[in-house]
Amino acid sequence: LPWYYDAILSSASFSRQLVDSHCSQEADRQFGPVVDACRSQFDFTVLFEEGILTIAPSVIFVACAISRTVVLHHRRAAVKPGWLRGAKARRTEQGQTDDSKDIALASVALRAAILTEQCVADRFRTAASVSAAAVALVAALVATVLTLYEHQHARRPSSLLLAYLFVSVLFESVKARTYWRLPDKPATGITIANCCVTALFFGLEAVNKTFLLVDHLDPVSKEGLSGPISKSFFLWLNGLFRRGYKNSLLPADLAPIDRLLYSETICPR
């Protein structure tokens, strides 16, 4: 029975791959960056992921976010609260609490769970495990505060938050893959959940806030209200293209241009 022997050989080959995928503790405690002689040599070491993929972006984000929060603190409110703020971060006003789902605090809770797990379980803990989890928790707390300020005082989606959340999703995916291949690692499920929550946070942060703008403010061009994703792919022009495809464009169909393009601004130059 040739198929029977082929099945046995395939099973033996798969078992060897599983054994090969389990690295020793010392292998993951090396900086690497690539792990040697295990996980098919196609993965980073845990120490490298915690130092470069967690601590470095978190520290950079916290430093930039603090500066950005100070700048926004001195601006007047430009956006109404609405459901979008409640979905990103809960806030109590006039004795009433928003009952919307709070995605930012969910990320903080998952980061706190990762920190607790790293402090309790030491089988695969490296020299940077606790520090990386603590710094990531601080970054999640700062992101929660920053998203409140960005929503209320900035008319466009936050470029800083979107960049940090996008990088976090990529790096957390890499870490989730590594934890998945480690035996008896409770952080696997928490990391996967955090990756999903961060991706949802990114989607909410990318939502345009035009429908929530305060009425008494001066009109702003659609480009000025667009976030980095909309600007990169010129998505803010889609409405104009649709109107132009169905009907002839009129001057009333054109949105205000950016103030920097006004003649009174350009002529002195």
Side-chain angles (χ1 to χ4, degrees):
L1 299 175
W3 61 269
Y4 180 75
Y5 295 107
D6 291 341
I8 294 176
L9 292 176
S10 299
S11 177
S13 176
F14 180 72
S15 299
R16 286 195 298 269
Q17 291 178 5
L18 287 178
V19 173
D20 181 64
S21 66
H22 294 169
C23 296
S24 65
Q25 298 180 27
E26 294 302 323
D28 275 316
R29 288 170 179 170
Q30 303 297 322
F31 183 76
V34 179
V35 68
D36 294 328
C38 56
R39 295 203 288 269
S40 302
Q41 296 185 359
F42 190 70
D43 201 1
F44 297 121
T45 64
V46 174
L47 180 59
F48 176 83
E49 292 177 355
E50 291 169 344
I52 303 301
L53 304 188
T54 302
I55 295 179
S58 297
V59 170
I60 295 174
F61 168 72
V62 169
C64 297
I66 293 175
S67 302
R68 176 64 176 169
T69 303
V70 172
V71 173
L72 293 174
H73 181 71
H74 295 89
R75 293 185 182 180
R76 61 176 179 173
V79 181
K80 303 173 185 177
W83 64 268
L84 184 59
R85 192 189 71 177
K88 291 187 290 186
R90 184 179 303 175
R91 188 171 181 175
T92 303
E93 289 185 355
Q94 298 178 354
Q96 297 180 354
T97 302
D98 192 345
D99 294 330
S100 301
K101 293 182 179 178
D102 189 342
I103 196 67
L105 284 186
S107 178
V108 172
L110 289 171
R111 291 293 188 182
I114 294 176
L115 176 59
T116 303
E117 193 276 334
Q118 293 289 1
C119 293
V120 173
D122 59 350
R123 181 178 178 185
F124 292 97
R125 190 168 60 194
T126 68
S129 294
V130 177
S131 301
V135 172
L137 175 59
V138 173
L141 291 170
V142 172
T144 303
V145 176
L146 180 60
T147 190
L148 289 172
Y149 277 93
E150 286 282 1
H151 178 87
Q152 186 173 2
H153 300 280
R155 297 179 176 182
R156 67 180 68 179
S158 172
S159 300
L160 176 60
L161 265 176
L162 287 175
Y164 170 70
L165 294 174
F166 178 75
V167 171
S168 295
V169 171
L170 292 181
F171 290 171
E172 286 297 304
S173 301
V174 175
K175 293 173 60 179
R177 177 184 179 274
T178 300
Y179 290 154
W180 181 269
R181 305 185 71 176
L182 292 178
D184 302 328
K185 189 65 176 179
T188 303
I190 304 175
T191 305
I192 294 175
N194 184 59
C195 185
C196 296
V197 168
T198 305
L200 183 57
F201 194 179
F202 175 85
L204 290 173
E205 195 62 41
V207 174
N208 194 289
K209 297 179 286 187
T210 305
F211 63 97
L212 292 174
L213 291 179
V214 176
D215 299 331
H216 62 78
L217 296 179
D218 298 332
V220 184
S221 65
K222 287 191 174 181
E223 182 182 5
L225 298 174
S226 302
I229 299 177
S230 181
K231 284 185 176 181
S232 299
F233 297 98
F234 297 96
L235 300 180
W236 59 278
L237 290 172
N238 287 345
L240 182 63
F241 288 153
R242 284 194 295 267
R243 286 195 297 270
Y245 179 78
K246 296 179 180 179
N247 305 295
S248 298
L249 290 177
L250 301 175
D253 295 326
L254 302 178
I257 62 175
D258 194 277
R259 185 173 295 275
L260 295 176
L261 300 177
Y262 285 2
S263 58
E264 60 184 10
T265 306
I266 297 178
C267 286
R269 297 181 182 178

